[in-house]
Amino acid sequence: MSHVKKIAKEIITGIDRIIEKVSDEEINRILNVLLNARDDKKILIIGTGRSGFVGKCFALRLMHLGFNVYVAGETITPALKKEDLVIAISGSGTTRTVVTQAEVAKEIGAKVIAITSRPESPLGRISDLVVVVKGRTKIAKEEDYVSRQMMGEHEPLAPLGTMFELSTMIFLDCLIAELMNRMGEREDDLRKRHAVIE
Amino acid sequence: MSHVKKIAKEIITGIDRIIEKVSDEEINRILNVLLNARDDKKILIIGTGRSGFVGKCFALRLMHLGFNVYVAGETITPALKKEDLVIAISGSGTTRTVVTQAEVAKEIGAKVIAITSRPESPLGRISDLVVVVKGRTKIAKEEDYVSRQMMGEHEPLAPLGTMFELSTMIFLDCLIAELMNRMGEREDDLRKRHAVIE
Amino acid sequence: MSHVKKIAKEIITGIDRIIEKVSDEEINRILNVLLNARDDKKILIIGTGRSGFVGKCFALRLMHLGFNVYVAGETITPALKKEDLVIAISGSGTTRTVVTQAEVAKEIGAKVIAITSRPESPLGRISDLVVVVKGRTKIAKEEDYVSRQMMGEHEPLAPLGTMFELSTMIFLDCLIAELMNRMGEREDDLRKRHAVIE
Amino acid sequence: MSHVKKIAKEIITGIDRIIEKVSDEEINRILNVLLNARDDKKILIIGTGRSGFVGKCFALRLMHLGFNVYVAGETITPALKKEDLVIAISGSGTTRTVVTQAEVAKEIGAKVIAITSRPESPLGRISDLVVVVKGRTKIAKEEDYVSRQMMGEHEPLAPLGTMFELSTMIFLDCLIAELMNRMGEREDDLRKRHAVIE
């Protein structure tokens, strides 16, 4: 097995463990909030960098499911109202612009859901619902990796927020699958809402 | 008067002449198509580079006026249908991705409006309505400018597509002003639809 | 003359007056800071909404001139260092994310240039150099416009930040023209740096 | 175990199998091309929708590793030259704008690497190197899932390109980990290149 594939096994095992540890109660709560938002609420996704791209992937699928969803920082982002929903993605929960935007959302009266590794962070503390997705822990022990040993044993295989970002990406797609179940939506329904001019 | 302000006078005079030459009939036609789209059609704006940014400025104001508008290439861009409207902005009318996207729109059966300097271009030829906004002509004669003489008399003051982009930017804001008139929309109505989380 | 063209005359006259009033000293200072940044400094453009798109138009031309320029919020935005330069565009000078980003820039030690209508705003106050570009004043008196009278005399022709955005767009292109002069750059030099895959 | 976590197990198993099947030779070739590009070549990432966001995640990490990388469609995208490298991501290999952009790249003489499920697609056929990452196969058999049975047995758990997108996201992060190994880059080196103004 090539070295890249050994890395893949390690990372995939890490993601598996991270998602296992997400609280079932938090999962149920976010599903209910989302199902509740479908008919008449706007959903605004906020996040920067790779967490922002993960959020955009989620936003696209929510749109395919018929949700009224927007992404902060894009051209078409309507005025948020107090009945609306903000989903903020930040591993550290400290990204300045994300915290600022979440604060503005709270001032308007909107509900804020945080997806973060750190519920005690500034983002976590001001959110109405926190879904905790842990970042790397296990895979930081890479003394097993000959090629990493040259760098010392504390050097992680997946740098910076990678484990949070990958785990959140997959976790959010699992929410999509479950929303499809509960809403009775089929792949073909999603395809009809998929952009043709990309 | 500083040199920068002399340049400004020259560029502003150029824009004034370019907008003067836009066909009144084409203006009426685009206004009617837009007014007609308001209630039940989606509008998709396409364009790349600076023309794309000008298109996004227009898209924002259309959203503030209550239109159901989207920008190609952004996350939330729903499936286009045959009753929908595409507005393509390209000075040369030859930008490959814009022409490709306009072709896809035509295949779907959507109406395509081109804003271009060249009605005989590939974009112009496949569009249902062409609004011609000329690019630079007058201000290319800058032998008057001492500072430009060192570069030879054919060197333009406003490089590349600048005059088309500036003229289109202002022209589209004039359409917004006229749409406000005709629709009885006030600034305060727009403000209410303005994003609060940017 | 069609109504849209009358609006254009009015708006163009307004832009002309706004640019006339920009301080020559501020123009010289921003030109010098920019020329000084060319060889070894990064420039980061910040702004949201239409001001952000105006900033992106400016960023593109700075790149065409060979500057090492980036736009906040896009994928490829490297770490800012204390020798770098931030240009923040906000008519009101109060946009929360812009002020937050400018504050972070100041903490790093970078120089911040604000382009704003309000030098006394939060953005203006923390900036090292403020270039004041006024927003609408004159064109708010549209009792002359029959079509506007129905809305009352205080209703502006160009809503929200339009006059600031248009004036800044043109003003920044005048800086580009002057930078070309001073740097001896020709249109053909810019064309070579223009993206071919858009 | 909650239903969402059962879905996660199934999706993670699917990703594991997809990455196992990527050709070791193709992995070595893309690693060599990337290592070879580091010092003096530009890398341009192209892709639309969720594949585009996966590409942006990869672009960010390449930037953190010191590569000279850009993303098509963003403001700062310099002119591509014949020595440069394009990485195109498209599960189907048929996305029109991606194929158009890859064609333009080939006309310039740049090398094109495709990451796609279908090497025989239009994108695959014009590329210099194809890395095949399969999309869903196994997890389409979800008669095991009670909740999916109501929709019929051919309804997939992960809709549309999800399995390709998730597998590619993880696969590209494994390339990053291996590039870090080979280049002797540590997490702290990446952190220094990480944007501070997001």
Side-chain angles (χ1 to χ4, degrees):
Chain A
M1 190 161 59
S2 77
H3 196 237
V4 165
K5 288 185 185 169
K6 280 186 202 151
I7 294 170
K9 291 280 177 199
E10 203 72 2
I11 285 178
I12 287 170
T13 303
I15 294 169
D16 187 41
R17 286 178 192 160
I18 288 169
I19 295 181
E20 259 174 14
K21 284 185 187 144
V22 179
S23 147
D24 285 330
E25 195 193 318
E26 290 170 5
I27 291 173
N28 272 329
R29 288 182 63 196
I30 189 172
L31 283 169
N32 287 333
V33 174
L34 285 168
L35 286 165
N36 209 31
R38 194 191 179 192
D39 288 332
D40 56 352
K41 293 181 174 67
K42 287 192 292 288
I43 301 176
L44 181 70
I45 309 289
I46 63 181
T48 66
R50 287 172 47 112
S51 291
F53 299 135
V54 166
K56 287 175 176 180
C57 287
F58 186 49
L60 255 180
R61 284 289 184 260
L62 287 176
M63 182 191 75
H64 294 158
L65 280 173
F67 285 87
N68 193 6
V69 62
Y70 298 92
V71 176
E74 299 219 329
T75 307
I76 300 304
T77 309
L80 205 70
K81 296 204 161 41
K82 70 176 194 297
E83 66 271 20
D84 293 330
L85 186 61
V86 168
I87 301 178
I89 303 175
S90 168
S92 69
T94 59
T95 313
R96 289 272 281 268
T97 48
V98 173
V99 174
T100 300
Q101 290 170 334
E103 285 168 353
V104 175
K106 290 301 300 174
E107 288 166 20
I108 292 163
K111 189 182 280 247
V112 176
I113 301 180
I115 299 178
T116 179
S117 299
R118 299 175 59 205
E120 77 287 1
S121 62
L123 175 64
R125 278 197 305 264
I126 63 170
S127 296
D128 300 282
L129 168 58
V130 178
V131 179
V132 179
V133 177
K134 284 291 174 195
R136 69 163 178 257
T137 42
K138 299 291 182 304
I139 66 153
K141 291 174 48 191
E142 65 270 81
E143 55 278 78
D144 321 323
Y145 278 87
V146 177
S147 63
R148 300 302 290 177
Q149 284 178 340
M150 67 185 212
M151 299 186 192
E153 61 184 55
H154 296 301
E155 192 61 16
L157 191 61
L160 306 170
T162 300
M163 289 310 295
F164 169 76
E165 295 142 10
L166 295 179
S167 303
T168 300
M169 176 96 166
I170 291 174
F171 171 69
L172 294 174
D173 272 339
C174 296
L175 293 188
I176 294 293
E178 180 63 6
L179 288 170
M180 284 178 73
N181 281 340
R182 298 205 189 172
M183 290 159 65
E185 288 275 329
R186 304 178 65 114
E187 186 179 43
D188 211 50
D189 301 318
L190 278 74
R191 190 174 286 116
K192 282 177 193 147
R193 300 190 192 97
H194 193 287
V196 281
I197 297 191
E198 299 190 302
Chain B
M1 189 162 57
S2 77
H3 197 237
V4 165
K5 287 185 184 169
K6 280 187 202 152
I7 294 170
K9 291 280 178 199
E10 201 74 3
I11 285 178
I12 287 169
T13 304
I15 294 168
D16 187 43
R17 287 176 191 161
I18 288 168
I19 295 181
E20 259 176 13
K21 284 185 187 144
V22 179
S23 148
D24 285 329
E25 195 194 317
E26 290 169 5
I27 292 173
N28 272 329
R29 288 182 64 195
I30 190 172
L31 284 168
N32 286 333
V33 173
L34 285 168
L35 286 166
N36 209 33
R38 194 191 178 191
D39 289 331
D40 56 352
K41 293 181 174 67
K42 289 193 289 290
I43 300 176
L44 180 71
I45 308 289
I46 63 180
T48 67
R50 287 170 48 111
S51 292
F53 300 136
V54 167
K56 286 175 177 181
C57 287
F58 186 49
L60 256 180
R61 284 290 184 259
L62 287 176
M63 183 191 76
H64 294 158
L65 279 173
F67 285 88
N68 194 7
V69 63
Y70 298 93
V71 176
E74 301 218 326
T75 306
I76 301 303
T77 310
L80 203 70
K81 295 205 164 38
K82 69 177 196 295
E83 67 270 21
D84 294 331
L85 185 62
V86 168
I87 301 178
I89 304 175
S90 168
S92 69
T94 60
T95 313
R96 289 272 282 268
T97 48
V98 173
V99 174
T100 299
Q101 290 170 334
E103 285 168 354
V104 174
K106 290 301 298 177
E107 288 165 20
I108 292 163
K111 191 183 278 249
V112 176
I113 302 181
I115 299 177
T116 179
S117 299
R118 299 174 58 205
E120 76 289 358
S121 63
L123 176 63
R125 277 198 305 264
I126 63 169
S127 296
D128 299 282
L129 168 59
V130 178
V131 179
V132 179
V133 176
K134 286 292 175 195
R136 70 166 177 253
T137 42
K138 298 293 183 301
I139 66 153
K141 290 174 50 190
E142 65 268 81
E143 54 277 77
D144 320 325
Y145 277 87
V146 175
S147 62
R148 299 301 290 177
Q149 283 178 341
M150 67 185 210
M151 299 187 190
E153 61 184 57
H154 296 301
E155 193 60 17
L157 190 60
L160 306 169
T162 301
M163 290 309 295
F164 169 76
E165 295 142 10
L166 295 179
S167 303
T168 299
M169 175 98 166
I170 292 174
F171 171 68
L172 294 174
D173 272 339
C174 296
L175 292 188
I176 293 294
E178 179 63 7
L179 288 170
M180 285 178 73
N181 281 341
R182 297 206 189 172
M183 290 160 64
E185 289 276 329
R186 304 179 63 115
E187 185 178 43
D188 212 48
D189 301 316
L190 278 74
R191 189 175 287 116
K192 281 176 194 148
R193 300 191 191 98
H194 193 286
V196 280
I197 297 191
E198 298 190 304
Chain C
M1 191 161 58
S2 76
H3 197 237
V4 166
K5 287 185 185 169
K6 279 186 204 154
I7 293 170
K9 291 280 177 199
E10 202 73 2
I11 286 179
I12 287 169
T13 303
I15 294 169
D16 186 42
R17 286 178 190 158
I18 287 169
I19 295 181
E20 260 176 13
K21 284 186 188 144
V22 179
S23 147
D24 284 328
E25 196 194 317
E26 291 170 5
I27 291 173
N28 272 329
R29 288 182 64 196
I30 191 172
L31 283 169
N32 287 333
V33 174
L34 285 168
L35 287 166
N36 209 31
R38 194 192 177 191
D39 288 332
D40 56 352
K41 293 181 174 67
K42 288 192 291 289
I43 301 177
L44 181 70
I45 308 289
I46 63 181
T48 66
R50 286 171 48 112
S51 291
F53 300 135
V54 166
K56 286 175 176 181
C57 287
F58 186 48
L60 255 179
R61 284 288 184 259
L62 286 176
M63 183 192 74
H64 294 158
L65 279 173
F67 285 87
N68 193 7
V69 62
Y70 298 93
V71 176
E74 300 219 326
T75 308
I76 301 304
T77 310
L80 204 70
K81 297 205 162 36
K82 68 177 196 297
E83 66 271 19
D84 294 331
L85 186 62
V86 169
I87 301 178
I89 304 175
S90 168
S92 68
T94 60
T95 313
R96 290 271 281 266
T97 49
V98 173
V99 174
T100 300
Q101 290 170 334
E103 285 168 355
V104 175
K106 289 302 300 174
E107 288 165 20
I108 292 163
K111 190 183 280 250
V112 176
I113 302 180
I115 300 177
T116 179
S117 299
R118 298 176 57 205
E120 77 288 0
S121 63
L123 175 64
R125 278 197 306 264
I126 64 169
S127 297
D128 299 282
L129 168 59
V130 177
V131 179
V132 179
V133 177
K134 286 291 176 197
R136 70 165 178 253
T137 42
K138 298 291 182 304
I139 65 152
K141 290 175 49 192
E142 64 269 84
E143 54 278 77
D144 321 324
Y145 278 87
V146 175
S147 62
R148 300 302 289 177
Q149 283 179 340
M150 66 186 212
M151 299 186 190
E153 61 185 52
H154 295 301
E155 192 60 16
L157 189 60
L160 306 169
T162 300
M163 289 310 295
F164 169 76
E165 295 143 9
L166 295 179
S167 303
T168 299
M169 175 97 166
I170 292 175
F171 171 69
L172 293 174
D173 272 339
C174 295
L175 292 188
I176 293 294
E178 180 62 6
L179 288 170
M180 284 178 74
N181 281 340
R182 297 206 189 173
M183 291 160 65
E185 289 274 331
R186 303 178 66 114
E187 185 179 42
D188 211 49
D189 301 318
L190 279 74
R191 190 174 287 116
K192 281 177 193 147
R193 300 190 192 98
H194 193 287
V196 281
I197 298 191
E198 297 190 304
Chain D
M1 190 161 57
S2 77
H3 196 237
V4 165
K5 288 185 186 170
K6 280 185 201 153
I7 294 171
K9 290 282 178 199
E10 202 73 3
I11 285 178
I12 287 170
T13 303
I15 294 169
D16 187 40
R17 287 177 190 160
I18 288 169
I19 296 181
E20 260 175 13
K21 284 185 187 144
V22 179
S23 147
D24 285 328
E25 196 194 316
E26 290 170 4
I27 291 173
N28 271 329
R29 288 181 65 194
I30 190 172
L31 283 168
N32 287 333
V33 173
L34 285 168
L35 286 165
N36 209 32
R38 194 190 179 192
D39 289 333
D40 56 351
K41 293 180 173 67
K42 290 191 290 290
I43 300 176
L44 181 71
I45 308 289
I46 62 180
T48 65
R50 287 171 48 112
S51 291
F53 299 135
V54 166
K56 286 176 176 178
C57 286
F58 186 47
L60 255 180
R61 284 290 184 260
L62 288 176
M63 183 192 75
H64 295 157
L65 280 172
F67 285 87
N68 193 7
V69 61
Y70 298 93
V71 176
E74 300 218 326
T75 308
I76 301 303
T77 309
L80 204 71
K81 295 204 162 40
K82 69 176 195 297
E83 65 271 19
D84 294 330
L85 186 62
V86 168
I87 301 178
I89 304 176
S90 167
S92 68
T94 59
T95 313
R96 289 272 282 268
T97 48
V98 173
V99 174
T100 300
Q101 289 170 333
E103 285 169 353
V104 174
K106 290 301 299 175
E107 288 165 20
I108 292 163
K111 192 183 277 249
V112 175
I113 301 181
I115 299 177
T116 180
S117 299
R118 298 175 59 205
E120 76 288 0
S121 63
L123 176 64
R125 278 199 305 265
I126 64 168
S127 296
D128 298 283
L129 168 58
V130 177
V131 179
V132 178
V133 177
K134 286 292 175 194
R136 70 166 177 253
T137 42
K138 298 292 181 304
I139 66 152
K141 288 174 52 190
E142 65 268 82
E143 54 278 79
D144 320 325
Y145 277 87
V146 175
S147 63
R148 298 304 288 179
Q149 283 179 341
M150 67 185 211
M151 300 187 190
E153 61 184 56
H154 295 300
E155 193 59 18
L157 189 60
L160 305 171
T162 301
M163 290 309 295
F164 170 77
E165 295 143 10
L166 295 178
S167 303
T168 298
M169 175 98 166
I170 292 175
F171 171 69
L172 294 174
D173 272 339
C174 296
L175 293 188
I176 293 294
E178 179 62 7
L179 288 171
M180 285 178 72
N181 280 341
R182 298 205 188 173
M183 292 160 63
E185 288 275 330
R186 303 178 65 113
E187 185 178 43
D188 212 48
D189 301 317
L190 278 74
R191 190 174 285 115
K192 281 176 194 149
R193 299 190 192 100
H194 193 288
V196 282
I197 297 191
E198 298 191 304

